[in-house]
Amino acid sequence: MPADWSDWAGLAGMLLALVALLICLVSTRRLRRLARRMPAALTATESDLRLHGLTVSNVFERVARLERDLRTLRETQSQIETRAVGPSNYGQAINLVQRGWRIEDLVRSCGLTRGEAELVYLLHGPGGGLNSKRNDRELNN
């Protein structure tokens, strides 16, 4: 019986070795197939990465351009709003001059040009033309 067991053990060992050899052969075949496909896959991946890189830099350029355009639009809008001086701005400027505000303050707060602010100041400020006429009328009455 011991001889039978050893025969069976040797046969089992050979079968295991044969199965291991088959697994190695199949694995080697798969690895070779993968190795043949790798250069093409690598080239495609590199191409995709380059394309995505260009796309991303393109997006950054477009965003930067849009931010510049937005900044320009905001500045233009601010300039337009500053130029849009209406009667209420003059009334406000007159009140502020009578309270002692300076020309620079009128330009900043009321959106007047420097010339407009100077005129309001000359007409309605301390010792201004309209104040002196008003004072003259009050003295004559």
CSV table of all heavy atoms in Angstrom, one decimal, residues 51-104:
chain,number,residue,atom,x,y,z
A,51,LEU,N,-4.7,66.8,-25.4
A,51,LEU,CA,-5.9,67.5,-25.8
A,51,LEU,C,-6.6,68.1,-24.6
A,51,LEU,O,-7.0,69.3,-24.6
A,51,LEU,CB,-6.9,66.5,-26.4
A,51,LEU,CG,-8.2,67.0,-26.8
A,51,LEU,CD1,-8.1,68.1,-27.9
A,51,LEU,CD2,-9.1,65.9,-27.3
A,52,HIS,N,-6.7,67.4,-23.5
A,52,HIS,CA,-7.3,68.0,-22.2
A,52,HIS,C,-6.5,69.1,-21.7
A,52,HIS,O,-7.0,70.1,-21.2
A,52,HIS,CB,-7.5,66.9,-21.2
A,52,HIS,CG,-8.5,65.9,-21.5
A,52,HIS,ND1,-9.8,66.3,-21.7
A,52,HIS,CD2,-8.5,64.6,-21.7
A,52,HIS,CE1,-10.6,65.2,-22.0
A,52,HIS,NE2,-9.8,64.2,-22.0
A,53,GLY,N,-5.1,69.0,-21.8
A,53,GLY,CA,-4.3,70.1,-21.4
A,53,GLY,C,-4.5,71.4,-22.2
A,53,GLY,O,-4.6,72.5,-21.6
A,54,LEU,N,-4.7,71.2,-23.5
A,54,LEU,CA,-4.9,72.4,-24.3
A,54,LEU,C,-6.3,72.9,-24.0
A,54,LEU,O,-6.5,74.1,-23.9
A,54,LEU,CB,-4.9,71.9,-25.8
A,54,LEU,CG,-3.5,71.6,-26.4
A,54,LEU,CD1,-3.6,71.1,-27.8
A,54,LEU,CD2,-2.6,72.9,-26.3
A,55,THR,N,-7.3,72.1,-23.8
A,55,THR,CA,-8.6,72.5,-23.5
A,55,THR,C,-8.6,73.3,-22.2
A,55,THR,O,-9.2,74.3,-22.1
A,55,THR,CB,-9.6,71.3,-23.4
A,55,THR,OG1,-9.5,70.6,-24.6
A,55,THR,CG2,-11.0,71.7,-23.1
A,56,VAL,N,-7.9,72.8,-21.1
A,56,VAL,CA,-7.9,73.5,-19.8
A,56,VAL,C,-7.2,74.8,-20.0
A,56,VAL,O,-7.7,75.8,-19.5
A,56,VAL,CB,-7.2,72.6,-18.8
A,56,VAL,CG1,-6.9,73.3,-17.5
A,56,VAL,CG2,-8.0,71.4,-18.5
A,57,SER,N,-6.1,74.9,-20.7
A,57,SER,CA,-5.4,76.2,-20.8
A,57,SER,C,-6.3,77.1,-21.6
A,57,SER,O,-6.4,78.3,-21.4
A,57,SER,CB,-4.1,76.0,-21.5
A,57,SER,OG,-4.2,75.6,-22.8
A,58,ASN,N,-7.0,76.6,-22.6
A,58,ASN,CA,-8.0,77.4,-23.4
A,58,ASN,C,-9.1,78.0,-22.5
A,58,ASN,O,-9.4,79.1,-22.6
A,58,ASN,CB,-8.6,76.5,-24.4
A,58,ASN,CG,-8.7,77.2,-25.8
A,58,ASN,OD1,-8.3,78.3,-25.9
A,58,ASN,ND2,-9.3,76.5,-26.7
A,59,VAL,N,-9.6,77.2,-21.6
A,59,VAL,CA,-10.6,77.6,-20.6
A,59,VAL,C,-10.0,78.7,-19.7
A,59,VAL,O,-10.7,79.7,-19.5
A,59,VAL,CB,-11.1,76.4,-19.8
A,59,VAL,CG1,-12.0,76.9,-18.6
A,59,VAL,CG2,-11.9,75.5,-20.6
A,60,PHE,N,-8.8,78.5,-19.2
A,60,PHE,CA,-8.2,79.5,-18.4
A,60,PHE,C,-8.1,80.9,-19.1
A,60,PHE,O,-8.3,81.9,-18.6
A,60,PHE,CB,-6.9,79.1,-17.8
A,60,PHE,CG,-7.0,78.1,-16.7
A,60,PHE,CD1,-6.2,76.9,-16.7
A,60,PHE,CD2,-7.9,78.2,-15.7
A,60,PHE,CE1,-6.3,76.0,-15.7
A,60,PHE,CE2,-8.1,77.3,-14.7
A,60,PHE,CZ,-7.2,76.2,-14.7
A,61,GLU,N,-7.6,80.8,-20.4
A,61,GLU,CA,-7.5,82.0,-21.2
A,61,GLU,C,-8.8,82.7,-21.4
A,61,GLU,O,-8.9,83.9,-21.3
A,61,GLU,CB,-6.9,81.7,-22.6
A,61,GLU,CG,-5.4,81.3,-22.5
A,61,GLU,CD,-4.9,80.8,-23.9
A,61,GLU,OE1,-5.7,80.9,-24.9
A,61,GLU,OE2,-3.8,80.2,-23.9
A,62,ARG,N,-9.9,81.9,-21.7
A,62,ARG,CA,-11.2,82.5,-21.9
A,62,ARG,C,-11.7,83.1,-20.6
A,62,ARG,O,-12.3,84.2,-20.6
A,62,ARG,CB,-12.2,81.4,-22.4
A,62,ARG,CG,-11.8,80.9,-23.7
A,62,ARG,CD,-12.7,79.8,-24.2
A,62,ARG,NE,-13.8,80.4,-25.0
A,62,ARG,CZ,-14.8,79.7,-25.5
A,62,ARG,NH1,-14.9,78.5,-25.2
A,62,ARG,NH2,-15.7,80.3,-26.2
A,63,VAL,N,-11.5,82.5,-19.5
A,63,VAL,CA,-12.0,83.0,-18.2
A,63,VAL,C,-11.2,84.3,-17.9
A,63,VAL,O,-11.8,85.3,-17.5
A,63,VAL,CB,-11.7,82.0,-17.0
A,63,VAL,CG1,-11.9,82.7,-15.7
A,63,VAL,CG2,-12.7,80.8,-17.2
A,64,ALA,N,-9.9,84.3,-18.2
A,64,ALA,CA,-9.2,85.6,-17.9
A,64,ALA,C,-9.7,86.7,-18.8
A,64,ALA,O,-9.8,87.8,-18.4
A,64,ALA,CB,-7.7,85.3,-18.2
A,65,ARG,N,-10.0,86.4,-20.1
A,65,ARG,CA,-10.5,87.4,-21.0
A,65,ARG,C,-11.8,87.9,-20.5
A,65,ARG,O,-12.1,89.1,-20.6
A,65,ARG,CB,-10.6,86.8,-22.4
A,65,ARG,CG,-10.9,87.8,-23.5
A,65,ARG,CD,-10.8,87.3,-24.9
A,65,ARG,NE,-10.3,86.1,-25.2
A,65,ARG,CZ,-10.9,85.0,-25.5
A,65,ARG,NH1,-12.2,85.0,-25.7
A,65,ARG,NH2,-10.3,83.8,-25.8
A,66,LEU,N,-12.7,87.0,-20.1
A,66,LEU,CA,-14.0,87.4,-19.6
A,66,LEU,C,-13.9,88.3,-18.4
A,66,LEU,O,-14.7,89.2,-18.2
A,66,LEU,CB,-14.9,86.1,-19.3
A,66,LEU,CG,-15.4,85.4,-20.5
A,66,LEU,CD1,-16.0,84.1,-20.1
A,66,LEU,CD2,-16.3,86.2,-21.3
A,67,GLU,N,-13.0,87.9,-17.5
A,67,GLU,CA,-12.8,88.8,-16.3
A,67,GLU,C,-12.3,90.2,-16.7
A,67,GLU,O,-12.8,91.2,-16.1
A,67,GLU,CB,-11.7,88.1,-15.4
A,67,GLU,CG,-12.3,86.9,-14.6
A,67,GLU,CD,-11.3,86.2,-13.8
A,67,GLU,OE1,-10.1,86.4,-14.0
A,67,GLU,OE2,-11.7,85.4,-12.9
A,68,ARG,N,-11.4,90.3,-17.7
A,68,ARG,CA,-11.0,91.6,-18.2
A,68,ARG,C,-12.1,92.4,-18.7
A,68,ARG,O,-12.3,93.6,-18.5
A,68,ARG,CB,-9.8,91.4,-19.2
A,68,ARG,CG,-8.5,91.2,-18.6
A,68,ARG,CD,-7.4,91.4,-19.7
A,68,ARG,NE,-7.6,90.6,-20.9
A,68,ARG,CZ,-7.2,89.3,-21.1
A,68,ARG,NH1,-6.5,88.7,-20.2
A,68,ARG,NH2,-7.4,88.7,-22.2
A,69,ASP,N,-12.9,91.7,-19.6
A,69,ASP,CA,-14.1,92.3,-20.2
A,69,ASP,C,-15.1,92.8,-19.1
A,69,ASP,O,-15.6,93.9,-19.2
A,69,ASP,CB,-14.8,91.4,-21.1
A,69,ASP,CG,-14.0,91.1,-22.4
A,69,ASP,OD1,-13.0,91.8,-22.6
A,69,ASP,OD2,-14.3,90.2,-23.1
A,70,LEU,N,-15.3,92.0,-18.1
A,70,LEU,CA,-16.2,92.4,-17.0
A,70,LEU,C,-15.7,93.6,-16.3
A,70,LEU,O,-16.4,94.5,-15.9
A,70,LEU,CB,-16.4,91.2,-16.1
A,70,LEU,CG,-17.3,91.4,-14.9
A,70,LEU,CD1,-18.7,91.7,-15.3
A,70,LEU,CD2,-17.3,90.2,-14.0
A,71,ARG,N,-14.4,93.6,-16.0
A,71,ARG,CA,-13.8,94.7,-15.3
A,71,ARG,C,-14.0,96.0,-16.1
A,71,ARG,O,-14.3,97.1,-15.6
A,71,ARG,CB,-12.3,94.5,-15.1
A,71,ARG,CG,-11.7,95.3,-14.0
A,71,ARG,CD,-10.2,94.9,-13.6
A,71,ARG,NE,-10.0,93.5,-13.5
A,71,ARG,CZ,-9.3,92.7,-14.3
A,71,ARG,NH1,-8.7,93.2,-15.3
A,71,ARG,NH2,-9.2,91.4,-14.0
A,72,THR,N,-13.8,95.9,-17.4
A,72,THR,CA,-13.9,97.0,-18.3
A,72,THR,C,-15.4,97.5,-18.3
A,72,THR,O,-15.7,98.7,-18.3
A,72,THR,CB,-13.5,96.7,-19.8
A,72,THR,OG1,-12.1,96.2,-19.7
A,72,THR,CG2,-13.6,97.8,-20.7
A,73,LEU,N,-16.3,96.6,-18.4
A,73,LEU,CA,-17.7,96.9,-18.4
A,73,LEU,C,-18.1,97.6,-17.1
A,73,LEU,O,-18.9,98.6,-17.1
A,73,LEU,CB,-18.6,95.7,-18.5
A,73,LEU,CG,-18.6,95.1,-20.0
A,73,LEU,CD1,-19.4,93.8,-20.0
A,73,LEU,CD2,-19.3,96.1,-20.9
A,74,ARG,N,-17.6,97.1,-15.9
A,74,ARG,CA,-17.9,97.8,-14.7
A,74,ARG,C,-17.3,99.2,-14.6
A,74,ARG,O,-18.0,100.1,-14.1
A,74,ARG,CB,-17.3,97.0,-13.5
A,74,ARG,CG,-18.1,95.7,-13.2
A,74,ARG,CD,-17.5,95.0,-12.0
A,74,ARG,NE,-18.3,93.8,-11.7
A,74,ARG,CZ,-17.9,92.8,-11.0
A,74,ARG,NH1,-16.7,92.7,-10.6
A,74,ARG,NH2,-18.7,91.7,-10.8
A,75,GLU,N,-16.1,99.4,-15.1
A,75,GLU,CA,-15.5,100.7,-15.1
A,75,GLU,C,-16.4,101.7,-16.0
A,75,GLU,O,-16.6,102.8,-15.7
A,75,GLU,CB,-14.1,100.7,-15.6
A,75,GLU,CG,-13.2,100.0,-14.6
A,75,GLU,CD,-11.8,99.7,-15.2
A,75,GLU,OE1,-11.5,100.1,-16.4
A,75,GLU,OE2,-10.9,99.2,-14.5
A,76,THR,N,-16.8,101.2,-17.2
A,76,THR,CA,-17.6,102.0,-18.1
A,76,THR,C,-18.9,102.3,-17.5
A,76,THR,O,-19.4,103.4,-17.6
A,76,THR,CB,-17.8,101.2,-19.4
A,76,THR,OG1,-16.5,100.8,-20.0
A,76,THR,CG2,-18.5,102.0,-20.4
A,77,GLN,N,-19.5,101.3,-16.9
A,77,GLN,CA,-20.8,101.6,-16.2
A,77,GLN,C,-20.6,102.6,-15.1
A,77,GLN,O,-21.5,103.5,-15.0
A,77,GLN,CB,-21.4,100.3,-15.6
A,77,GLN,CG,-22.7,100.5,-14.9
A,77,GLN,CD,-23.2,99.2,-14.3
A,77,GLN,OE1,-22.5,98.2,-14.3
A,77,GLN,NE2,-24.4,99.3,-13.7
A,78,SER,N,-19.6,102.5,-14.3
A,78,SER,CA,-19.3,103.5,-13.3
A,78,SER,C,-19.1,104.9,-13.9
A,78,SER,O,-19.7,105.9,-13.3
A,78,SER,CB,-18.1,103.1,-12.5
A,78,SER,OG,-17.8,104.1,-11.5
A,79,GLN,N,-18.4,105.0,-15.0
A,79,GLN,CA,-18.2,106.3,-15.6
A,79,GLN,C,-19.5,106.9,-16.2
A,79,GLN,O,-19.8,108.0,-16.0
A,79,GLN,CB,-17.2,106.2,-16.8
A,79,GLN,CG,-15.8,105.9,-16.3
A,79,GLN,CD,-14.9,105.6,-17.5
A,79,GLN,OE1,-15.3,105.5,-18.6
A,79,GLN,NE2,-13.6,105.4,-17.2
A,80,ILE,N,-20.4,106.0,-16.7
A,80,ILE,CA,-21.7,106.4,-17.3
A,80,ILE,C,-22.6,106.9,-16.1
A,80,ILE,O,-23.2,108.0,-16.2
A,80,ILE,CB,-22.4,105.3,-18.1
A,80,ILE,CG1,-21.6,105.1,-19.4
A,80,ILE,CG2,-23.8,105.6,-18.3
A,80,ILE,CD1,-22.1,103.9,-20.1
A,81,GLU,N,-22.6,106.2,-15.0
A,81,GLU,CA,-23.4,106.6,-13.9
A,81,GLU,C,-22.9,107.9,-13.3
A,81,GLU,O,-23.7,108.7,-12.8
A,81,GLU,CB,-23.4,105.5,-12.8
A,81,GLU,CG,-24.1,104.2,-13.2
A,81,GLU,CD,-24.0,103.1,-12.2
A,81,GLU,OE1,-23.1,103.2,-11.3
A,81,GLU,OE2,-24.7,102.1,-12.4
A,82,THR,N,-21.6,108.1,-13.3
A,82,THR,CA,-21.0,109.3,-12.8
A,82,THR,C,-21.4,110.5,-13.7
A,82,THR,O,-21.7,111.6,-13.2
A,82,THR,CB,-19.5,109.2,-12.8
A,82,THR,OG1,-19.1,108.2,-11.9
A,82,THR,CG2,-18.9,110.5,-12.2
A,83,ARG,N,-21.5,110.3,-15.0
A,83,ARG,CA,-21.9,111.3,-15.9
A,83,ARG,C,-23.4,111.6,-15.9
A,83,ARG,O,-23.8,112.7,-16.3
A,83,ARG,CB,-21.5,111.0,-17.3
A,83,ARG,CG,-20.0,111.0,-17.6
A,83,ARG,CD,-19.7,110.8,-19.0
A,83,ARG,NE,-18.4,110.3,-19.2
A,83,ARG,CZ,-18.1,109.3,-19.9
A,83,ARG,NH1,-18.9,108.7,-20.7
A,83,ARG,NH2,-16.8,108.8,-20.0
A,84,ALA,N,-24.2,110.7,-15.4
A,84,ALA,CA,-25.6,110.8,-15.4
A,84,ALA,C,-26.0,111.7,-14.2
A,84,ALA,O,-26.6,111.2,-13.3
A,84,ALA,CB,-26.3,109.5,-15.4
A,85,VAL,N,-25.7,113.0,-14.4
A,85,VAL,CA,-26.1,113.9,-13.3
A,85,VAL,C,-27.4,114.5,-13.6
A,85,VAL,O,-27.7,115.0,-14.6
A,85,VAL,CB,-25.0,115.0,-13.2
A,85,VAL,CG1,-25.4,116.0,-12.1
A,85,VAL,CG2,-23.6,114.4,-12.9
A,86,GLY,N,-28.3,114.3,-12.6
A,86,GLY,CA,-29.7,114.9,-12.8
A,86,GLY,C,-29.9,116.0,-11.9
A,86,GLY,O,-29.1,116.4,-11.1
A,87,PRO,N,-31.1,116.6,-11.9
A,87,PRO,CA,-31.5,117.8,-11.1
A,87,PRO,C,-31.3,117.5,-9.6
A,87,PRO,O,-30.9,118.3,-8.8
A,87,PRO,CB,-32.9,118.1,-11.5
A,87,PRO,CG,-33.1,117.4,-12.8
A,87,PRO,CD,-32.2,116.3,-12.9
A,88,SER,N,-31.6,116.2,-9.2
A,88,SER,CA,-31.5,115.9,-7.8
A,88,SER,C,-30.1,115.9,-7.3
A,88,SER,O,-29.8,116.3,-6.2
A,88,SER,CB,-32.1,114.5,-7.6
A,88,SER,OG,-31.4,113.5,-8.2
A,89,ASN,N,-29.1,115.6,-8.2
A,89,ASN,CA,-27.7,115.7,-7.8
A,89,ASN,C,-27.3,117.2,-7.6
A,89,ASN,O,-26.6,117.4,-6.7
A,89,ASN,CB,-26.8,115.1,-8.9
A,89,ASN,CG,-27.0,113.6,-9.0
A,89,ASN,OD1,-28.1,113.1,-8.9
A,89,ASN,ND2,-25.9,112.9,-9.2
A,90,TYR,N,-27.9,118.1,-8.4
A,90,TYR,CA,-27.5,119.5,-8.2
A,90,TYR,C,-28.2,120.0,-6.9
A,90,TYR,O,-27.5,120.7,-6.1
A,90,TYR,CB,-28.0,120.3,-9.4
A,90,TYR,CG,-27.2,120.1,-10.6
A,90,TYR,CD1,-27.8,119.6,-11.8
A,90,TYR,CD2,-25.9,120.4,-10.7
A,90,TYR,CE1,-27.1,119.4,-12.9
A,90,TYR,CE2,-25.1,120.1,-11.8
A,90,TYR,CZ,-25.8,119.6,-12.9
A,90,TYR,OH,-25.0,119.4,-14.1
A,91,GLY,N,-29.4,119.6,-6.6
A,91,GLY,CA,-30.1,120.0,-5.4
A,91,GLY,C,-29.3,119.5,-4.2
A,91,GLY,O,-29.1,120.2,-3.2
A,92,GLN,N,-28.9,118.2,-4.3
A,92,GLN,CA,-28.1,117.6,-3.2
A,92,GLN,C,-26.8,118.4,-3.0
A,92,GLN,O,-26.4,118.7,-1.9
A,92,GLN,CB,-27.8,116.2,-3.5
A,92,GLN,CG,-27.0,115.5,-2.4
A,92,GLN,CD,-26.7,114.0,-2.8
A,92,GLN,OE1,-26.9,113.6,-3.9
A,92,GLN,NE2,-26.0,113.3,-1.9
A,93,ALA,N,-26.1,118.7,-4.1
A,93,ALA,CA,-24.9,119.5,-4.1
A,93,ALA,C,-25.1,120.8,-3.4
A,93,ALA,O,-24.3,121.3,-2.6
A,93,ALA,CB,-24.3,119.6,-5.5
A,94,ILE,N,-26.2,121.5,-3.8
A,94,ILE,CA,-26.4,122.8,-3.2
A,94,ILE,C,-26.6,122.7,-1.7
A,94,ILE,O,-26.0,123.5,-0.9
A,94,ILE,CB,-27.7,123.4,-3.8
A,94,ILE,CG1,-27.4,123.8,-5.3
A,94,ILE,CG2,-28.2,124.7,-3.1
A,94,ILE,CD1,-28.6,124.2,-6.1
A,95,ASN,N,-27.4,121.7,-1.2
A,95,ASN,CA,-27.5,121.5,0.2
A,95,ASN,C,-26.2,121.2,0.9
A,95,ASN,O,-25.9,121.7,2.0
A,95,ASN,CB,-28.5,120.3,0.5
A,95,ASN,CG,-29.9,120.7,0.1
A,95,ASN,OD1,-30.3,121.8,0.2
A,95,ASN,ND2,-30.7,119.7,-0.2
A,96,LEU,N,-25.4,120.4,0.2
A,96,LEU,CA,-24.1,120.0,0.9
A,96,LEU,C,-23.2,121.2,0.9
A,96,LEU,O,-22.5,121.4,1.9
A,96,LEU,CB,-23.5,118.9,0.1
A,96,LEU,CG,-24.2,117.5,0.1
A,96,LEU,CD1,-23.6,116.5,-0.7
A,96,LEU,CD2,-24.4,117.0,1.6
A,97,VAL,N,-23.2,122.1,-0.1
A,97,VAL,CA,-22.3,123.2,-0.1
A,97,VAL,C,-22.8,124.2,1.0
A,97,VAL,O,-21.9,124.8,1.7
A,97,VAL,CB,-22.4,124.0,-1.5
A,97,VAL,CG1,-21.8,125.4,-1.4
A,97,VAL,CG2,-21.6,123.2,-2.5
A,98,GLN,N,-24.1,124.3,1.2
A,98,GLN,CA,-24.6,125.2,2.3
A,98,GLN,C,-24.2,124.6,3.6
A,98,GLN,O,-24.2,125.4,4.6
A,98,GLN,CB,-26.1,125.4,2.1
A,98,GLN,CG,-26.4,126.2,0.9
A,98,GLN,CD,-27.9,126.2,0.5
A,98,GLN,OE1,-28.7,125.5,1.0
A,98,GLN,NE2,-28.2,127.2,-0.4
A,99,ARG,N,-24.0,123.4,3.7
A,99,ARG,CA,-23.5,122.8,5.0
A,99,ARG,C,-22.0,122.8,5.2
A,99,ARG,O,-21.5,122.3,6.1
A,99,ARG,CB,-24.0,121.3,5.0
A,99,ARG,CG,-25.5,121.1,5.2
A,99,ARG,CD,-25.8,119.7,5.4
A,99,ARG,NE,-27.2,119.4,5.1
A,99,ARG,CZ,-27.7,118.2,4.8
A,99,ARG,NH1,-26.9,117.2,4.7
A,99,ARG,NH2,-28.9,118.1,4.6
A,100,GLY,N,-21.3,123.3,4.2
A,100,GLY,CA,-19.9,123.5,4.3
A,100,GLY,C,-19.0,122.5,3.6
A,100,GLY,O,-17.8,122.4,3.9
A,101,TRP,N,-19.6,121.7,2.8
A,101,TRP,CA,-18.8,120.7,2.1
A,101,TRP,C,-17.9,121.3,1.0
A,101,TRP,O,-18.2,122.4,0.5
A,101,TRP,CB,-19.7,119.7,1.4
A,101,TRP,CG,-20.3,118.6,2.3
A,101,TRP,CD1,-20.8,118.9,3.5
A,101,TRP,CD2,-20.5,117.3,2.0
A,101,TRP,NE1,-21.3,117.7,4.0
A,101,TRP,CE2,-21.1,116.7,3.1
A,101,TRP,CE3,-20.2,116.4,1.0
A,101,TRP,CZ2,-21.4,115.4,3.2
A,101,TRP,CZ3,-20.5,115.1,1.1
A,101,TRP,CH2,-21.1,114.6,2.2
A,102,ARG,N,-16.8,120.7,0.8
A,102,ARG,CA,-15.8,121.2,-0.2
A,102,ARG,C,-16.1,120.7,-1.6
A,102,ARG,O,-16.9,119.7,-1.8
A,102,ARG,CB,-14.4,120.7,0.2
A,102,ARG,CG,-13.9,121.3,1.6
A,102,ARG,CD,-12.6,120.7,2.0
A,102,ARG,NE,-12.7,119.3,2.0
A,102,ARG,CZ,-11.8,118.4,1.8
A,102,ARG,NH1,-10.6,118.9,1.5
A,102,ARG,NH2,-11.9,117.1,1.8
A,103,ILE,N,-15.4,121.3,-2.6
A,103,ILE,CA,-15.6,120.9,-4.0
A,103,ILE,C,-15.3,119.4,-4.2
A,103,ILE,O,-16.0,118.7,-4.9
A,103,ILE,CB,-14.8,121.8,-4.9
A,103,ILE,CG1,-15.3,123.2,-4.8
A,103,ILE,CG2,-14.7,121.3,-6.3
A,103,ILE,CD1,-14.4,124.3,-5.5
A,104,GLU,N,-14.2,118.9,-3.7
A,104,GLU,CA,-13.8,117.5,-3.9
A,104,GLU,C,-14.9,116.6,-3.3
A,104,GLU,O,-15.1,115.5,-3.9
A,104,GLU,CB,-12.5,117.2,-3.2
A,104,GLU,CG,-11.3,117.9,-3.8
A,104,GLU,CD,-11.1,119.4,-3.3
A,104,GLU,OE1,-11.7,119.7,-2.3
A,104,GLU,OE2,-10.5,120.1,-4.1
